[in-house]
């Protein structure tokens, strides 16, 4: 614990900020592992695969060739060209280079966009369950978070009527995330069109479409870019994406955004006075990832789908859990309402999903993230991006721990 006098010296904005709950849970799991406990973490949002060798080689070669200096603040021209080609190839969307922004991860792209546009009391609409960082980033940038809830019964899809209820002249952004973290929901073309229709009455509202899981869709589900469903909104949509999830490159920290040139120019200004630019060598790696052979992604998708089905098969054996089938991304967002009010073997009553996550960690050595972190309770998010043996073990231990609960 820090002494209070030191905490007081931290800015109010940072005092109000949470440490990312997914990172916090992962750190707890690592600390327990370091103490010798047998812990399996299902808490982090990253693939267990290695970055493909061709990408690593491209980075190595770039460094040897002297690509070790500052780059343009919001990305090397060659990488922006690769982003442009990728958007044309995968989404049939065309952008000029001055409509493309590169930063250190999709997280920083989102931060730069919010920092570049939000003034005090500007409102940003997000749909719960939402990715943990949205709310903190919005508040850090001075905005006000407006949460619209979705329901498991509606497949966690954003309800256009509910969006209409919260839009005001102060709304600056509406943030959409499909495929969704944590629910795996995919917003179909028709739903996106309906959302766009509601937004037609608010021409000043910007839309941020976070499409970072676009390549990770299962069964016959396909990702529809928001701009494809609403091409007439091109002058107010910023699409954000990155290489972290598609190419197992979370540590390289490269994300990108594409949108109206005035927003992109403002984002470049933020970047020039903060990070300066993203790592030059990582940019070369991202360029290779986006332009090189894409076949590995399809094979990873198949592996993830098998793991998803396997995990669901085990977890469904428990009468304590509700386990919907995600259409994309690599998380199960399990309902744990039946666990609430139950008694653990040590006699404690589980009062919230945080208690359930704590119980699973302390009793079964399984790290998960409570739905509360995503603005929706009582749920647990479990990542299935780990090898099938560990996944089998983890799911089995969850079912066993739940079986020990009594009412
Ligand atoms: N958006 C969503 C929905 C995410 O789940 C994540 C990471 O978990 C990000 C953005 C940020 O990704 P990165 O900063 O690694 O590119």
């Amino acid at each position: 614990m820090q002494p209070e006098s030191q905490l007081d010296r931290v800015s109010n904005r940072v005092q109000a900020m949470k440490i990312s709950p997914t990172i916090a849970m992962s750190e707890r799991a690592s600390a327990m592992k370091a103490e010798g406990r047998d812990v399996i973490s299902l808490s982090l949002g990253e693939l267990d695969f290695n970055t493909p060798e061709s990408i690593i080689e491209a980075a190595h070669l770039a460094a040897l060739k002297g690509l070790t200096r500052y780059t343009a603040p919001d990305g090397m021209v060659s990488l922006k060209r690769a982003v442009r080609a990728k958007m044309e190839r995968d989404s049939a969307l065309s952008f000029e280079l001055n409509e493309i922004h590169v930063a250190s991860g999709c997280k920083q792209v989102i931060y730069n966009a919010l920092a570049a546009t939000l003034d005090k009391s500007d409102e940003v609409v997000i749909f719960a369950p939402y990715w943990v960082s949205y709310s903190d980033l919005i508040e850090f940038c001075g905005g006000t978070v407006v949460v619209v809830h979705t329901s498991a019964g509606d497949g966690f899809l954003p309800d256009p009527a509910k969006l209409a209820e919260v839009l005001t002249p102060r709304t600056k952004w509406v943030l959409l995330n499909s495929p969704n973290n944590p629910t795996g929901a995919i917003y179909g073309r028709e739903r996106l069109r309906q959302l766009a229709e509601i937004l037609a009455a608010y021409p000043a509202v910007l839309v941020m479409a976070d499409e970072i899981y676009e390549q990770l869709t299962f069964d016959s589900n396909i990702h529809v870019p928001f701009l494809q469903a609403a091409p007439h909104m091109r002058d107010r949509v910023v699409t954000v994406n990155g290489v972290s999830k598609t190419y197992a490159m979370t540590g390289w920290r490269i994300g990108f955004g594409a949108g109206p040139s005035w927003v992109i120019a403002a984002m470049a200004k933020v970047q020039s006075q903060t990070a300066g630019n993203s790592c030059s060598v990582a940019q070369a790696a991202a360029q290779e990832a986006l332009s090189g052979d894409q076949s590995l992604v399809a094979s990873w998708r198949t592996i993830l789908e098998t793991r998803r089905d396997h995990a669901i098969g085990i977890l469904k054996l428990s009468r304590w859990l509700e386990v919907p089938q995600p259409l994309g991304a690599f998380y199960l967002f399990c309902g744990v309402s039946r666990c609430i009010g139950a008694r653990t073997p040590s006699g404690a009553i589980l009062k919230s999903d945080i208690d359930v996550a704590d119980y699973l960690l302390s009793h079964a050595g399984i790290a998960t993230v409570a739905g509360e972190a995503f603005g929706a309770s009582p749920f647990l998010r479990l990542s299935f991006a780990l090898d099938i043996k560990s996944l089998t073990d983890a799911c089995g231990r969850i079912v066993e721990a739940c079986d020990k609960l009594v009412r």
Side-chain angles (χ1 to χ4, degrees):
M1 259 312 248
Q2 255 175 310
E4 208 150 296
S5 58
Q6 285 181 3
L7 262 185
D8 279 353
R9 292 159 73 185
V10 172
S11 72
N12 292 337
R13 274 181 315 161
V14 170
Q15 283 193 45
M17 207 173 209
K18 296 184 294 294
I19 299 271
S20 163
T22 46
I23 295 175
M25 192 48 147
S26 221
E27 282 177 356
R28 265 179 77 188
S30 302
M32 285 172 68
K33 271 189 207 167
E35 285 166 12
R37 294 274 313 266
D38 172 19
V39 174
I40 303 177
S41 179
L42 308 183
S43 61
L44 253 195
E46 64 184 352
L47 296 175
D48 58 320
F49 308 129
N50 288 333
T51 302
E53 266 177 35
S54 56
I55 296 175
I56 296 173
E57 273 162 14
H60 185 201
L61 204 64
L64 288 174
K65 278 189 174 164
L67 191 72
T68 50
R69 302 179 193 281
Y70 291 131
T71 72
D74 67 344
M76 309 186 307
V77 168
S78 56
L79 175 53
K80 287 188 175 188
R81 286 204 179 107
V83 170
R84 177 167 67 183
K86 176 253 174 296
M87 298 294 278
E88 269 166 16
R89 177 189 68 209
D90 297 340
S91 309
L93 295 170
S94 304
F95 290 95
E96 300 296 332
L97 294 189
N98 67 353
E99 295 175 310
I100 292 171
H101 178 88
V102 172
S104 300
C106 183
K107 193 181 245 179
Q108 197 187 24
V109 177
I110 297 168
Y111 170 76
N112 287 350
L114 296 172
T117 52
L118 287 183
D119 282 316
K120 202 165 168 8
S121 78
D122 281 348
E123 295 174 356
V124 181
V125 178
I126 57 176
F127 293 91
Y130 47 77
W131 177 48
V132 289
S133 292
Y134 290 153
S135 51
D136 281 284
L137 286 177
I138 293 162
E139 280 168 6
F140 187 71
C141 292
T144 301
V145 179
V146 177
V147 177
V148 176
H149 290 274
T150 65
S151 69
D154 191 26
F156 294 111
L157 295 175
D159 180 346
K162 283 196 184 163
L163 173 63
E165 281 168 20
V166 299
L167 291 173
T168 75
R170 289 184 306 280
T171 311
K172 193 73 172 250
W173 288 95
V174 172
L175 246 111
L176 300 174
N177 172 215
S178 173
N180 184 270
N181 173 8
T183 66
I186 293 181
Y187 307 168
R189 196 174 298 274
E190 193 43 39
R191 185 68 64 129
L192 294 174
R193 269 204 207 112
Q194 290 165 354
L195 294 169
E197 226 171 271
I198 298 296
L199 287 163
Y202 292 84
V205 173
L206 296 160
V207 174
M208 194 172 329
D210 180 346
E211 304 186 347
I212 194 156
Y213 294 96
E214 64 155 344
Q215 297 296 331
L216 304 179
T217 62
F218 307 123
D219 313 312
S220 55
N221 296 290
I222 51 156
H223 162 70
V224 181
F226 179 76
L227 254 189
Q228 248 186 31
H232 58 286
M233 288 180 66
R234 200 185 183 291
D235 61 348
R236 55 183 174 124
V237 175
V238 176
T239 302
V240 299
N241 203 328
V243 294
S244 286
K245 313 291 177 179
T246 307
Y247 305 101
M249 291 179 70
T250 42
W252 297 78
R253 311 305 306 131
I254 297 293
F256 48 89
S261 57
W262 69 269
V263 184
I264 296 297
M267 289 164 71
K269 209 164 156 185
V270 175
Q271 178 83 345
S272 73
Q273 294 292 16
T274 51
N277 61 258
S278 302
C279 166
S280 56
V281 172
Q283 288 189 59
Q287 190 179 316
E288 170 62 25
L290 296 175
S291 327
D293 178 19
Q294 302 292 305
S295 58
L296 205 55
V297 180
S299 67
W300 285 355
R301 206 181 290 136
T302 310
I303 294 173
L304 287 171
E305 194 174 308
T306 308
R307 292 175 179 181
R308 175 199 64 171
D309 295 344
H310 188 71
I312 290 176
I314 300 173
L315 295 169
K316 278 221 156 143
L317 297 174
S318 174
R319 66 187 172 91
W320 295 93
L321 305 172
E322 292 145 76
V323 194
Q325 176 157 305
L327 311 183
F330 43 75
Y331 312 100
L332 302 180
F333 201 57
C334 298
V336 292
S337 59
R338 292 176 207 145
C339 301
I340 307 301
R343 194 180 292 278
T344 70
S346 61
I349 301 284
L350 300 177
K351 295 195 189 76
S352 65
D353 51 17
I354 298 176
D355 286 353
V356 180
D358 279 345
Y359 168 64
L360 292 179
L361 182 59
S362 59
H363 192 87
I366 305 300
T368 60
V369 187
E372 197 249 12
F374 308 95
S377 287
F379 291 93
L380 289 184
R381 191 194 75 172
L382 321 179
S383 164
F384 54 83
L386 74 168
D387 67 273
I388 207 101
K389 188 173 168 300
S390 309
L391 192 61
T392 307
D393 192 6
C395 293
R397 277 152 70 173
I398 291 174
V399 170
E400 230 174 81
C402 288
D403 277 348
K404 289 185 186 150
L405 297 173
V406 285
R407 281 221 162 261

